């Protein structure tokens, strides 16, 4: 746990250094690649100060966007159940870092995204599986047993159901999957 905290702190320090560097370079030449408005254009067009003032470089790639534009982009990706959150800059292939996601999204929106991301990981990994009960959120590491006599069962701690993991139906002790 300490290592994770240390890595997060290092990522935060690096992101802050990149932000300071970007501020020192000046934002006069900035153009948001989402709304296509520049910083000076936003001020001249009398946009709300929140859009003009809240400019955010992404921590992993340093592309700069209006914060409000990023929030809209992320919310639409979440509504579409898109798991991969890439930088909106067309030529950039980097993901938007979790620190940025936490800064831009509400707790509810971040939790929804985290749930989609977790589901995607579990669904794509052979060794991970869901409890066969519909809507049960229990996931586990599944290691198939080669021995036909071995017990291959799950007692789900969430829904309390008992399953045969070979055929994913109610556990049938002493009866083969084929015979059941």
């Amino acid at each position: 746990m300490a290592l994770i905290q240390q890595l997060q702190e290092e990522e935060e320090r690096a992101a802050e250094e990149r932000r300071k560097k970007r501020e020192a370079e000046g934002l006069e030449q900035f153009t948001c690649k989402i709304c296509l408005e520049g910083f000076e254009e936003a001020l001249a067009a009398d946009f709300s100060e929140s859009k003009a003032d809240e400019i955010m470089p992404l921590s992993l790639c340093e592309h700069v966007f209006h914060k409000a534009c990023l929030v809209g982009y992320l919310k639409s990706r979440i509504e579409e159940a898109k798991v991969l959150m890439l930088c909106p800059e067309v030529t950039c292939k980097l993901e938007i870092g979790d620190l940025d996601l936490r800064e831009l999204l509400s707790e509810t929106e971040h939790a929804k995204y985290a749930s989609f991301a977790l589901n995607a990981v579990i669904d794509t990994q052979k060794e991970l599986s869901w409890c066969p009960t519909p809507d049960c959120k229990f996931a586990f590491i599944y290691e198939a047993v080669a021995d036909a006599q071995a017990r291959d069962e799950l007692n789900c701690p969430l829904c309390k159901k008992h399953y045969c993991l070979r055929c994913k139906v109610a556990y049938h002790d002493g009866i083969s999957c084929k015979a059941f």
Side-chain angles (χ1 to χ4, degrees):
M1 204 60 158
L3 179 60
I4 292 172
Q5 186 175 8
Q6 180 183 357
L7 291 172
Q8 285 177 330
E9 288 170 1
E10 287 175 12
E11 184 180 336
E12 287 172 11
R13 280 192 297 273
E16 186 60 30
E17 285 176 27
R18 285 192 294 274
R19 283 191 180 133
K20 286 179 182 176
K21 177 184 167 192
R22 181 69 73 180
E23 285 175 13
E25 292 172 357
L27 294 171
E28 310 77 50
Q29 299 158 4
F30 157 78
T31 299
C32 175
K33 299 294 185 175
I34 298 172
C35 71
L36 303 177
E37 293 288 338
F39 180 71
E40 288 181 353
E41 292 166 325
L43 290 175
D46 226 10
F47 277 125
S48 69
E49 287 198 26
S50 64
K51 186 171 183 182
D53 289 340
E54 291 196 36
I55 294 174
M56 181 175 169
L58 295 176
S59 58
L60 299 180
C61 64
E62 298 185 39
H63 287 116
V64 182
F65 304 92
H66 292 119
K67 211 171 192 179
C69 294
L70 277 171
V71 169
Y73 168 77
L74 294 172
K75 284 182 178 182
S76 71
R77 301 277 299 172
I78 290 169
E79 287 305 312
E80 296 169 3
K82 302 288 185 189
V83 175
L84 196 57
M85 294 292 190
L86 296 177
C87 170
E89 169 66 51
V90 177
T91 60
C92 185
K93 303 294 182 216
L94 293 176
E95 286 189 51
I96 297 175
D98 193 62
L99 288 175
D100 292 335
L101 293 173
R102 288 182 187 277
E103 183 176 336
L104 294 163
L105 299 171
S106 69
E107 282 186 40
T108 303
E109 292 160 342
H110 188 271
K112 188 175 182 180
Y113 164 72
S115 176
F116 288 151
L118 175 64
N119 290 347
V121 168
I122 291 171
D123 290 343
T124 59
Q125 301 297 315
K126 287 181 185 178
E127 67 275 358
L128 297 176
S129 186
W130 293 105
C131 170
T133 302
D135 297 327
C136 182
K137 299 295 182 196
F138 184 71
F140 58 95
I141 297 173
Y142 174 60
E143 296 177 22
V145 180
D147 181 6
Q149 301 301 317
R151 302 184 125 219
D152 217 357
E153 64 185 301
L154 167 70
N155 284 307
C156 181
L158 288 182
C159 69
K160 308 296 186 209
K161 304 266 174 134
H162 191 195
Y163 287 101
C164 169
L165 291 177
R166 292 178 194 252
C167 60
K168 304 231 180 192
V169 299
Y171 191 70
H172 44 88
D173 193 20
I175 304 170
S176 70
C177 294
K178 200 172 199 177
F180 188 74

